[in-house]
Amino acid sequence: MTALFEPWTLRDVTIPNRVWMPPMCQYSAAPKGPETGAPADWHFAHYAARAAGGTGLIIVEATAVSPEGRISPYDLGIWNDTQVEAFRRITRFLASQGTVPAIQLAHAGRKASTDRPWKGGAPIGPDAHGWDSVAPSPIAFDDRHPAPAELTTDQIRDVVGQFAAAARRALAAGFEIAEIHGAHGYLINEFLSPHSNHRTDAYGGSYENRTRFALEVVDAVRQVWPQDKPLFFRISATDWLEEDGWSADDTVRFAADLKAHGVDLLDVSTGGNASGVRIPTGPGYQVPFAARVKRETTLPVAAVGLITEVEQAEKILANGEADAVLLGRELLRNPSWARLAARELGGEVRVPDQYHRSV
Ligand SMILES: Cc1cc2nc3c(=O)[nH]c(=O)nc-3n(C[C@H](O)[C@H](O)[C@H](O)COP(=O)(O)O)c2cc1C
């Protein structure tokens, strides 16, 4: 038995292997009209190909809980029933391939309202379908971004409610796992980090206050997300700042809190909340952050970031550094990575009947 192809049951959901696809925005939804934020042909083809390729679990890209929570006007959203209906086609197909469908629920905070990355990704205004962004504090992400409006406590309560409503809709859309996006400098991450959170009320200052919003979101989602289905949380384990940022120590402490609030797995990424920092990237560069959480807490973890090689991925699991690996850009390059890895390692993976002659 290879570690990569060992099935895993979390709550009542069995994931056939440990080769997972992390959320990756496609910026390909309609920016206006009745289909706004709904998955389209591109999304279906994109996710279907990775499911047919044997990926054990697919986390659908950052999907906004409200229109203002989108990174760009072209993001997916899950705030209305048209969107739910459109997601069903994807979850149905993934399930037909034995791939577990998961979805990342997100709010972009002060990094909302930007153009698509391949158009430069600059902040945009109302003339280009843009809007004003919100955040814990009125501090712009960088020189290009306008300052966001500071959320009032009433508005914070509304956003918590939007996450719960989104989770309810995700369930109706056929998802088996929900992931809360607490990473990459988006709204939840902005609350966690003292770099972006300068509030002086119950939501800022101490560790307990800065983690309050995230835990309120977790509680609200956990309340509507069935007990037999897993809940994931994606975190940026460090801001990569020397001081006054969120640190790996904070992450270990917070992992225990998340576990106590009903989170089943920490998806461990880094960065995205402080502009202009140097991130020492390289093969598996974020794995040590996942490994530390796994070592020092009882919360299962997934590792992500420049994991591309079969042997490398197998070793991360065999060494006990993570419980699953997420392959992002490598799965964009090669949708059948899981199938080819299974062949190399002698692991078992489901091959679609239509492809039986390629086994
Ligand atoms: C095109 C693209 C879109 C992404 N969108 C998201 C996203 O929606 N949510 C998220 O948490 N991370 C997002 N990421 C980060 C990936 O999930 C992953 O953490 C990152 O690409 C590092 O893994 P890799 O080296 O295997 O690609 C995105 C990355 C790419 C390349």
Side-chain angles (χ1 to χ4, degrees):
M1 182 69 100
T2 76
L4 271 179
F5 292 93
E6 193 179 324
W8 189 20
T9 302
L10 276 165
R11 298 201 186 231
D12 281 356
V13 175
T14 298
I15 306 163
N17 63 53
R18 314 297 178 104
V19 182
W20 297 0
M21 178 169 162
M24 284 182 284
C25 283
Q26 299 298 295
Y27 306 103
S28 298
K32 59 175 182 177
E35 302 296 319
T36 301
D41 286 353
W42 173 261
H43 302 95
F44 181 80
H46 167 67
Y47 292 113
R50 276 84 201 162
T55 313
L57 173 134
I58 291 178
I59 308 177
V60 165
E61 67 201 76
T63 300
V65 301
S66 69
E68 314 73 54
R70 293 171 297 171
I71 302 166
S72 85
Y74 307 91
D75 287 23
L76 292 183
I78 190 149
W79 64 79
N80 68 40
D81 294 339
T82 305
Q83 295 158 345
V84 168
E85 210 40 59
F87 274 117
R88 273 192 227 273
R89 187 173 170 222
I90 293 174
T91 57
R92 239 189 346 254
F93 185 82
L94 266 51
S96 79
Q97 299 303 305
T99 298
V100 175
I103 183 169
Q104 188 182 51
L105 303 177
H107 191 301
R110 67 176 180 171
K111 289 170 81 175
S113 189
T114 61
D115 206 350
R116 288 169 285 192
W118 58 85
K119 300 276 188 190
I124 49 175
D127 52 326
H129 310 300
W131 58 92
D132 296 332
S133 65
V134 296
S137 301
I139 309 163
F141 171 66
D142 63 13
D143 295 347
R144 288 201 311 177
H145 284 73
E150 180 177 308
L151 285 165
T152 65
T153 44
D154 281 352
Q155 289 171 324
I156 290 173
R157 203 187 46 232
D158 290 346
V159 178
V160 171
Q162 288 164 355
F163 270 94
R168 225 181 265 119
R169 287 202 161 91
L171 186 67
F175 288 100
E176 293 286 334
I177 297 177
E179 174 173 277
I180 295 169
H181 196 349
H184 302 162
Y186 298 114
L187 188 63
I188 293 174
N189 191 174
E190 290 160 21
F191 271 91
L192 292 176
S193 171
H195 180 70
S196 41
N197 182 348
H198 293 194
R199 297 178 79 97
T200 53
D201 63 4
Y203 291 94
S206 65
Y207 165 89
E208 284 80 4
N209 283 357
R210 282 181 284 111
T211 57
R212 187 179 311 281
F213 173 63
L215 293 176
E216 284 180 357
V217 169
V218 168
D219 289 345
V221 169
R222 190 72 265 185
Q223 213 163 26
V224 302
W225 196 248
Q227 283 304 311
D228 60 357
K229 294 192 191 304
L231 176 63
F232 293 0
F233 190 97
R234 178 167 256 204
I235 198 158
S236 280
T238 172
D239 284 337
W240 295 106
L241 289 166
E242 300 277 321
E243 51 193 36
D244 299 331
W246 180 265
S247 70
D249 290 342
D250 293 325
T251 295
V252 171
R253 179 175 177 188
F254 190 49
D257 292 340
L258 289 171
K259 167 124 185 159
H261 285 255
V263 167
D264 300 295
L265 176 135
L266 194 64
D267 170 359
V268 186
S269 188
T270 71
N273 192 40
S275 65
V277 294
R278 210 190 61 79
I279 300 180
T281 59
Y285 71 105
Q286 296 175 146
V287 175
F289 294 97
R292 192 174 155 202
V293 172
K294 188 158 169 57
R295 232 179 12 251
E296 298 180 26
T297 77
T298 53
L299 187 62
V301 297
V304 66
L306 290 175
I307 300 169
T308 56
E309 305 295 330
V310 174
E311 200 184 325
Q312 174 199 20
E314 175 72 14
K315 247 193 200 145
I316 291 167
L317 301 183
N319 289 346
E321 293 173 291
D323 299 284
V325 287
L326 297 151
L327 284 79
R329 288 161 290 180
E330 191 57 22
L331 273 172
L332 297 185
R333 286 185 280 268
N334 180 2
S336 298
W337 194 94
R339 191 137 69 88
L340 297 173
R343 181 196 274 183
E344 198 174 316
L345 296 170
E348 250 181 67
V349 78
R350 188 179 180 282
V351 176
D353 292 341
Q354 295 87 340
Y355 293 173
H356 77 281
R357 291 186 63 185
S358 72
V359 174

